C-alpha cells in the first residue's frame, strides 16, 4: 500500500497480466501482421528493436507454449545487421517449411558474413529427425544444396558452419568435403575448429584418430572442439582417450571433457565423471555432479516406465486388460480328401473333394467371431 492508498501489488499484477496477454497475442500473428509490426520497428531506436528481439527470443525459450517465428522471419530483412543476426539465432530451433526457407534465403543472399554464418549454423536444427519430419523432401534437398554451395564457395566463417550442418544431415558428400577442408584449414584455426566439429557431427567413427590428434593442438579452441566431436562418436572402449583432455591445463577444456563424458554416458564414462566430482576446480565439480544427476534421473525414468505404462501408451489400456492373442495352433488345415471338421457345437461340416475346396468351404467359419472365441477356450 502506498501513501496515497493505492495498492501497488495489484497494479503490478495487472501490468504483468497485460504484458503476458500482449506476448500471447504477438505469438499468434500471421505473416502479414508480422510484416506490419516489423515495418513499424523502422521508426524505433535500433537498441530498442534489438532488445525486443532478444526479449521475445528469451520468452519463447522459457515458455514453449508461445513462439514468435513469424516476427523473426519478417525481421530477417531488417536493415540492421544486428537485428538480422538476432533473428537468425532465434530461428535455431528448427520448425517448418517457412523457417527453413527464411534461413536458406539468408544464407544465400544476406550481405553480412556474420549473419550468413548464423543462418548456416541454425540450419543444423533440420538435421534432427524430429525437425526434418516438419518439412518436405524438396525443402530438405534445398537446405543441403545451399549448405554445400556455402561450404564450397563462401568465406571461411560461413564455410565451416555450413560444413558442420551438412555433416549433421549425414549428406553423402560431407565426408569428401570434410577431408578437403581439413587440408585447407591447417593454417586457419577457426576453420579447423569447425572441421573437427563436423567430423563429430558426421556419425563416422573413422574420424576418431584425427579427432584424437587434435587433443594435442596448441590452440585451446581446437582442443575443445575435438573433445566435443569425440563425445559425439565415442563408445565405452574409447573413453580412456579422454584422460588427456580430462587433465588439460585450460579449465574450458576440462569442462568440455565432462560434457563429452555425459554425452557418452557409458559405465566407464560415468566412472570418470565420478572422479571429476572430486576435481580441484569448483566449476568442474558442479557440472560433473549435474551430469551424474541428469544421468541418474534418466535411469530412474527408464526403470519407472512399467510394461503397463508402455501398453497404455501403445494400446490405450493396461497390459492386464488386453485380451490374450488368439491361438490358431489347434486348427490345422485339412489335407486329405473326405476329412470332416467338428464345430464347437458338435456339428459335422461336410467338406469337398480337394484341399483347395475344403479351405473355401470353411472360410466363413474360420473368419467368424465364434471361431476366434473358441480358439481361446481350453
Amino acid at each position: 500500500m502506498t501513501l496515497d492508498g493505492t495498492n501497488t501489488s495489484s497494479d503490478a499484477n495487472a501490468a504483468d497480466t497485460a504484458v503476458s496477454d500482449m506476448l500471447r497475442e504477438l505469438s499468434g500473428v500471421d505473416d502479414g501482421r508480422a510484416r506490419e509490426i516489423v515495418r513499424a520497428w523502422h521508426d524505433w531506436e535500433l537498441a530498442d528493436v534489438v532488445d525486443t528481439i532478444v526479449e521475445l527470443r528469451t520468452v519463447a525459450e522459457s515458455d514453449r507454449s508461445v513462439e514468435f517465428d513469424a516476427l523473426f522471419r519478417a525481421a530477417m530483412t531488417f536493415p540492421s545487421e544486428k537485428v538480422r543476426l538476432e533473428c537468425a539465432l532465434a530461428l535455431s530451433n528448427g520448425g517448418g517449411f517457412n523457417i527453413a526457407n527464411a534461413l536458406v534465403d539468408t544464407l544465400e543472399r544476406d550481405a553480412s558474413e556474420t549473419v550468413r554464418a548464423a543462418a548456416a549454423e541454425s540450419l543444423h536444427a533440420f538435421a534432427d529427425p524430429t525437425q526434418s519430419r516438419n518439412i518436405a523432401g524438396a525443402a530438405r534437398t534445398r537446405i543441403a544444396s545451399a549448405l554445400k554451395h556455402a561450404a564450397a564457395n563462401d568465406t571461411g566463417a560461413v564455410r565451416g558452419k555450413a560444413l558442420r550442418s551438412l555433416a549433421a544431415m549425414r549428406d553423402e558428400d560431407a565426408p569428401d568435403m570434410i577431408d578437403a577442408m581439413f587440408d585447407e584449414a591447417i593454417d586457419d584455426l577457426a576453420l579447423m575448429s569447425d572441421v573437427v566439429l563436423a567430423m563429430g557431427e558426421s556419425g563416422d567413427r573413422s574420424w576418431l584418430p584425427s579427432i584424437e590428434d587434435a587433443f594435442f593442438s596448441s590452440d585451446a579452441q581446437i582442443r575443445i572442439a575435438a573433445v566435443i566431436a569425440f563425445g559425439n562418436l565415442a563408445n565405452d572402449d574409447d573413453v580412456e582417450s579422454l584422460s588427456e583432455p580430462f587433465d588439460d591445463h585450460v579449465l574450458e577444456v576440462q569442462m568440455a571433457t565432462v560434457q563429452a563424458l555425459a554425452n557418452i554416458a557409458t559405465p566407464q564414462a560415468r566412472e570418470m565423471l565420478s572422479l571429476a566430482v572430486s576435481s580441484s576446480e569448483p566449476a568442474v565439480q558442479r557440472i560433473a555432479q549435474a551430469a551424474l544427476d541428469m544421468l541418474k534421473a534418466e535411469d530412474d525414468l527408464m526403470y519407472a516406465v512399467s510394461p503397463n505404462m508402455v501398453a497404455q501408451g501403445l494400446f490405450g489400456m493396461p497390459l492386464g486388460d488386453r485380451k490374450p492373442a488368439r491361438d490358431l495352433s489347434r486348427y490345422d488345415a485339412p489335407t486329405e480328401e473326405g476329412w470332416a471338421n467338428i464345430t464347437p457345437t458338435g456339428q459335422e461340416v461336410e467338406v469337398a473333394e480337394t484341399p483347395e475346396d475344403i479351405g473355401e468351404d470353411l472360410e466363413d467359419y474360420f473368419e467368424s467371431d465364434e471361431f476366434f472365441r473358441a480358439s481361446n477356450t481350453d
Side-chain angles (χ1 to χ4, degrees), residues 16-290:
D16 287 345
T17 301
V19 170
S20 177
D21 291 344
M22 179 189 67
L23 289 173
R24 295 202 173 278
E25 181 180 349
L26 279 176
S27 74
V29 300
D30 58 20
D31 287 359
R33 178 62 177 148
R35 285 191 292 270
E36 291 178 4
I37 294 171
V38 171
R39 280 196 293 270
W41 289 352
H42 286 234
D43 297 328
W44 292 16
E45 293 291 334
L46 176 59
D48 293 332
V49 179
V50 174
D51 288 347
T52 298
I53 295 292
V54 172
E55 183 65 24
L56 292 177
R57 179 184 172 191
T58 302
V59 170
E61 289 175 348
S62 60
D63 183 355
R64 295 299 182 184
S65 67
V66 298
E67 55 91 2
F68 308 100
D69 293 343
L71 283 168
F72 298 145
R73 287 189 284 107
M76 289 291 283
T77 59
F78 204 82
S80 167
E81 175 184 330
K82 290 182 179 179
V83 172
R84 300 198 307 276
L85 176 61
E86 288 298 333
C87 289
L89 296 173
L91 295 175
S92 63
N93 292 322
F97 174 81
N98 289 331
I99 293 176
N101 271 348
L103 290 171
V104 170
D105 287 344
T106 299
L107 175 60
E108 292 178 336
R109 303 171 189 171
D110 201 279
S112 166
E113 175 184 318
T114 303
V115 176
R116 294 198 306 276
E121 195 162 17
S122 290
L123 283 168
H124 183 285
F126 291 95
D128 184 340
T130 62
Q131 296 300 326
S132 61
R133 286 201 301 267
N134 297 329
I135 60 173
R140 185 176 172 84
T141 299
R142 188 189 178 205
I143 292 172
S145 178
L147 290 171
K148 286 180 191 178
H149 185 271
N153 302 295
D154 213 316
T155 53
V158 183
R159 294 180 64 201
K161 301 297 186 294
L163 181 65
R164 285 174 53 188
S165 294
L166 186 67
M169 293 181 73
R170 308 295 166 85
D171 187 273
E172 61 181 7
D173 293 331
D176 289 340
M177 298 185 77
I178 291 173
D179 201 28
M181 202 176 292
F182 179 82
D183 293 336
E184 184 181 337
I186 294 299
D187 298 320
D188 186 336
L189 295 179
L191 184 59
M192 179 60 79
S193 176
D194 283 330
V195 171
V196 171
L197 287 169
M199 292 176 180
E201 298 280 7
S202 70
D204 184 353
R205 284 175 50 83
S206 68
W207 293 114
L208 279 175
S210 297
I211 293 171
E212 289 185 55
D213 287 345
F215 288 169
F216 304 95
S217 170
S218 60
D219 182 76
Q221 191 58 45
I222 291 180
R223 298 201 301 276
I224 291 172
V227 167
I228 294 171
F230 191 88
N232 287 333
L233 296 176
N235 57 34
D236 205 48
D237 294 333
D238 308 311
V239 170
E240 188 66 30
S241 297
L242 285 174
S243 299
E244 183 70 28
F246 191 68
D247 294 325
D248 197 281
H249 66 280
V250 176
L251 176 61
E252 288 75 13
V253 178
Q254 295 180 38
M255 295 174 70
T257 305
V258 171
Q259 295 290 356
L261 290 168
N263 195 30
I264 298 169
T266 61
Q268 190 170 349
R270 295 179 190 224
E271 288 183 17
M272 291 185 70
L273 283 173
S274 297
L275 293 175
V277 173
S278 303
S279 169
S280 59
E281 295 287 351
V284 174
Q285 293 177 18
R286 286 195 297 272
I287 64 170
Q289 187 60 61

Side-chain angles (χ1 to χ4, degrees), residues 1-22:
M1 185 78 71
T2 62
L3 293 175
D4 62 1
T6 59
N7 191 326
T8 56
S9 177
S10 298
D11 292 343
N13 290 337
D16 287 345
T17 301
V19 170
S20 177
D21 291 344
M22 179 189 67

Side-chain angles (χ1 to χ4, degrees), residues 242-374:
L242 285 174
S243 299
E244 183 70 28
F246 191 68
D247 294 325
D248 197 281
H249 66 280
V250 176
L251 176 61
E252 288 75 13
V253 178
Q254 295 180 38
M255 295 174 70
T257 305
V258 171
Q259 295 290 356
L261 290 168
N263 195 30
I264 298 169
T266 61
Q268 190 170 349
R270 295 179 190 224
E271 288 183 17
M272 291 185 70
L273 283 173
S274 297
L275 293 175
V277 173
S278 303
S279 169
S280 59
E281 295 287 351
V284 174
Q285 293 177 18
R286 286 195 297 272
I287 64 170
Q289 187 60 61
L292 287 171
D293 292 343
M294 178 193 69
L295 292 173
K296 183 180 184 302
E298 290 178 356
D299 291 343
D300 291 344
L301 180 61
M302 290 290 290
Y303 287 116
V305 178
S306 66
N308 272 348
M309 294 173 65
V310 174
Q312 182 75 39
L314 291 176
F315 308 113
M317 65 181 70
L319 198 63
D321 292 345
R322 294 192 65 218
K323 295 180 180 179
R326 292 162 175 163
D327 180 12
L328 307 183
S329 62
R330 291 183 287 124
Y331 289 85
D332 296 325
T335 57
E336 295 182 9
E337 186 176 317
W339 181 87
N341 184 67
I342 303 299
T343 69
T345 59
Q347 178 184 1
E348 185 177 88
V349 179
E350 296 295 337
V351 297
E353 298 298 321
T354 65
E356 291 79 7
D357 292 335
I358 290 171
E360 292 175 2
D361 290 341
L362 297 180
E363 180 178 1
D364 291 340
Y365 173 67
F366 282 155
E367 291 184 354
S368 69
D369 291 339
E370 179 187 0
F371 165 73
F372 284 117
R373 283 195 299 273

